[in-house]
Amino acid sequence: MVKRDKTLEPNALDVLQIEKHCRDLIVSAADAVDRQAYEAFVALFVPDAMLIRPGGIKLHGRHEILASYQNKDPNRLTHHLICQHHIQVDSPQVAQSRCKVLLYSSHRERELTPKGRLADAQHQIGVMEDTLVLTDTGWKIQTRHAWFELFTDN
């Protein structure tokens, strides 16, 4: 049996605060992508982060992540709805995040009505798994693995 140093383990209040910071980080990342604020998005990652996008494309470091997102069609609009979000606090400096993502998309050229823009017929449900680390500037994403599990196609 491995003995753990209890002085290094966060107390219940620390765990709740870490979970809140980590959830806020994940929601902020989704919001930045939806606003196409890609520099703000990559600032939420550590400099040497790794992101595995749906389809398995591996991006290493902020530069590759930024280039990949800036290469997207600027007229494609997205809304990432985050749910079933679980945080596992491994230590005061490391946590794991897993959440489901419901992705809706549309196109900027579609008419904006009082009801909004018509969404694409296809909606996707995916998963994001992240390793989060506490840095001198707050919590950041160290690794992200994202993939899709279901889709609709009307």
Side-chain angles (χ1 to χ4, degrees), residues 120-132:
D120 291 345
Q122 184 179 58
H123 312 300
Q124 296 169 286
I125 299 174
V127 176
M128 288 190 307
E129 291 183 341
D130 298 301
T131 298
L132 312 169

Side-chain angles (χ1 to χ4, degrees), residues 38-39 41-50 59-69 135 137 140-141:
Y38 300 130
E39 290 186 17
F41 174 65
V42 299
L44 301 174
F45 289 79
V46 297
D48 62 343
M50 182 181 67
L59 306 172
H60 299 277
R62 287 178 176 167
H63 180 75
E64 283 187 16
I65 295 168
L66 180 60
S68 175
Y69 279 80
T135 70
T137 58
K140 302 286 182 187
I141 302 168

Side-chain angles (χ1 to χ4, degrees), residues 27 55 58 74 80 83 90-91 94 99 101 125-127 144 146 149:
V27 170
K58 289 184 182 179
H80 292 77
C83 60
D90 296 337
S91 75
V94 179
C99 61
V101 179
I125 299 174
V127 176
R144 167 166 284 179
E149 293 186 332

Side-chain angles (χ1 to χ4, degrees), residues 74-94:
N75 289 311
R76 182 174 183 259
L77 304 174
T78 60
H79 285 272
H80 292 77
L81 306 180
I82 308 296
C83 60
Q84 293 182 353
H85 198 173
H86 300 278
I87 303 291
Q88 169 67 44
V89 177
D90 296 337
S91 75
Q93 295 82 28
V94 179

